[in-house]
Amino acid sequence: MRHTEPKRKKRQYLIDLQRWRSAAALIACVVTLLFSVISIIAALIHYTRMGWAVSDYFRYFTTLSNLTTALAAGFILPFAVNGIRRKRFVYPRWLFLMHYAGTICTTLTLLFALVFILPWDPAFAVGGGQKFLHIICPIAILIAFLLVEGGYLLTRRNTFFCLIPFLVYSLVYLVMVVILGKERGGWEDLYMLNTYVPFYFSLPALWLLSYGMASVIRIVSNRLAVMRKERLLSLWTEDMEPVEVNIEIYGLGRYNGLHDEKSEMSIPYDILEALAERYALDPTALMKVYTKGLLDAVKEKQLYPIDTKRKPG
């Protein structure tokens, strides 16, 4: 009897480990998506009424970066909804990197608007609908990225890779503004990169700024991932016996087997690996225990297809 209550608490923790993150991710992504899409559409309508061509509006880095993050948020939404249902939020690494790349771009938009645009044109920086695309949306997107952090650790190589969208845009901007120029069908100097100082000073400085800012986001994201893992390990008592670990893993497998569709079943190897590391166990053996719980639950659903909502025990 003395083991009954501790086991229940541990099993509840394993199952509900990341449910709050799923809810936070869902809210953050909905807010990001709504803010970005509504702000872009509103600005597009405004500038179209002023006589702009639609293609002119998509010359702006602000527009493209907000579209990127809106797309990433839209991709993350189904994973967040599924995380609430399954009580565990996970999403693919490629989507995490896409979200990181978009966050870099929008945060750079925020810094550029405050540091470079605001001093010479406050209305363009934060006036009207611009305050949403330049200030509110980038902040919301940054918070959303940190909230939906998927447990992945970013490397410097990831940072360079996720800076590619900004580097490509900066090179296109260089060609259209400096090499072609407005007189030959190019663009005007929308961001004043070649107006007050030559581009060969401003552009490298902007590249360095973007790398520094992306590195800060990477460090914060990695620190959050480490803190969450440390918190996870700290809640597992050191005196937990291997048989208790197996009971918890079996219960987790049963829960997922009862609630997952057959096409969606997966093995939470990161949790198994963390438990194995904590208690010096074999992760392969834990995976077999989890799989047994999963398969037993699937058989139970086939025998009793109506009663699939009850808690594991």
Side-chain angles (χ1 to χ4, degrees):
M1 287 297 296
R2 64 187 181 89
H3 293 293
T4 302
E5 185 63 22
K7 289 176 184 176
R8 186 178 302 164
K9 287 183 179 178
K10 288 167 190 166
R11 185 177 301 125
Q12 184 72 15
Y13 174 69
L14 281 173
I15 293 173
D16 290 338
L17 177 62
Q18 295 168 337
R19 174 178 251 187
W20 71 269
R21 285 178 56 195
S22 300
L26 182 63
I27 295 171
C29 288
V30 168
V31 170
T32 296
L33 195 59
L34 288 176
F35 275 22
S36 297
V37 172
I38 291 174
S39 298
I40 289 172
I41 292 175
L44 185 59
I45 293 173
H46 172 72
Y47 287 114
T48 302
R49 287 175 176 174
M50 292 174 59
W52 288 28
V54 173
S55 58
D56 291 340
Y57 184 61
F58 288 94
R59 295 176 180 180
Y60 285 95
F61 183 70
T62 301
T63 307
L64 298 175
S65 59
N66 275 274
L67 279 175
T68 301
T69 46
L71 188 62
F75 282 149
I76 293 171
L77 278 175
F79 293 98
V81 172
N82 199 40
I84 293 175
R85 185 176 64 83
R86 300 179 63 190
K87 303 186 181 181
R88 183 159 192 263
F89 171 58
V90 290
Y91 68 130
R93 186 176 180 84
W94 67 264
L95 186 50
F96 177 65
L97 294 177
M98 179 181 177
H99 203 188
Y100 178 45
T103 303
I104 290 173
C105 293
T106 51
T107 307
L108 186 61
T109 298
L110 171 67
L111 292 179
F112 199 86
L114 294 177
V115 175
F116 296 102
I117 302 178
L118 186 61
W120 61 267
D121 193 346
F124 182 63
V126 296
Q130 295 296 87
K131 64 177 173 287
F132 285 94
L133 289 174
H134 287 165
I135 307 297
I136 296 175
C137 286
I139 292 175
I141 288 164
L142 179 60
I143 293 173
F145 173 71
L146 297 177
L147 281 176
V148 302
E149 178 271 325
Y152 301 111
L153 292 178
L154 292 164
T155 64
R156 289 186 178 88
R157 183 178 179 180
N158 294 146
T159 298
F160 282 116
F161 178 77
C162 291
L163 279 168
I164 289 177
F166 166 69
L167 295 176
V168 170
Y169 179 85
S170 66
L171 293 176
V172 172
Y173 188 89
L174 178 66
V175 171
M176 298 302 290
V177 172
V178 178
I179 297 178
L180 287 179
K182 189 175 181 179
E183 298 77 12
R184 293 189 294 272
W187 302 344
E188 61 179 318
D189 195 0
L190 307 172
Y191 295 110
M192 306 298 174
L193 289 181
N194 197 44
T195 300
Y196 299 110
V197 292
F199 72 91
Y200 45 81
F201 285 120
S202 59
L203 201 55
L206 194 56
W207 288 340
L208 289 174
L209 174 66
S210 64
Y211 177 75
M213 183 211 60
S215 298
V216 171
I217 296 174
R218 182 189 74 235
I219 292 169
V220 173
S221 176
N222 286 349
R223 182 55 187 159
L224 286 173
V226 171
M227 287 173 61
R228 283 164 182 151
K229 183 177 180 180
E230 289 175 349
R231 179 175 175 270
L232 174 87
L233 296 178
S234 69
L235 293 175
W236 293 337
T237 58
E238 294 182 0
D239 59 349
M240 194 173 180
E241 297 294 332
V243 65
E244 294 179 278
V245 177
N246 286 336
I247 290 172
E248 299 303 331
I249 293 302
Y250 178 83
L252 181 60
R254 267 181 50 81
Y255 178 87
N256 289 338
L258 287 172
H259 294 82
D260 287 355
E261 300 294 336
K262 290 182 179 180
S263 59
E264 297 179 349
M265 290 181 180
S266 60
I267 297 176
Y269 193 77
D270 54 339
I271 289 181
L272 304 184
E273 191 175 46
L275 277 167
E277 179 183 345
R278 176 68 169 171
Y279 299 107
L281 300 174
D282 181 9
T284 304
L286 292 182
M287 185 167 64
K288 292 179 180 178
V289 174
Y290 174 85
T291 304
K292 177 171 174 52
L294 190 76
L295 294 177
D296 286 351
V298 171
K299 293 177 183 177
E300 183 177 328
K301 280 201 301 185
Q302 292 173 344
L303 292 174
Y304 311 101
I306 298 177
D307 188 16
T308 58
K309 299 296 182 184
R310 55 181 180 157
K311 294 289 183 181

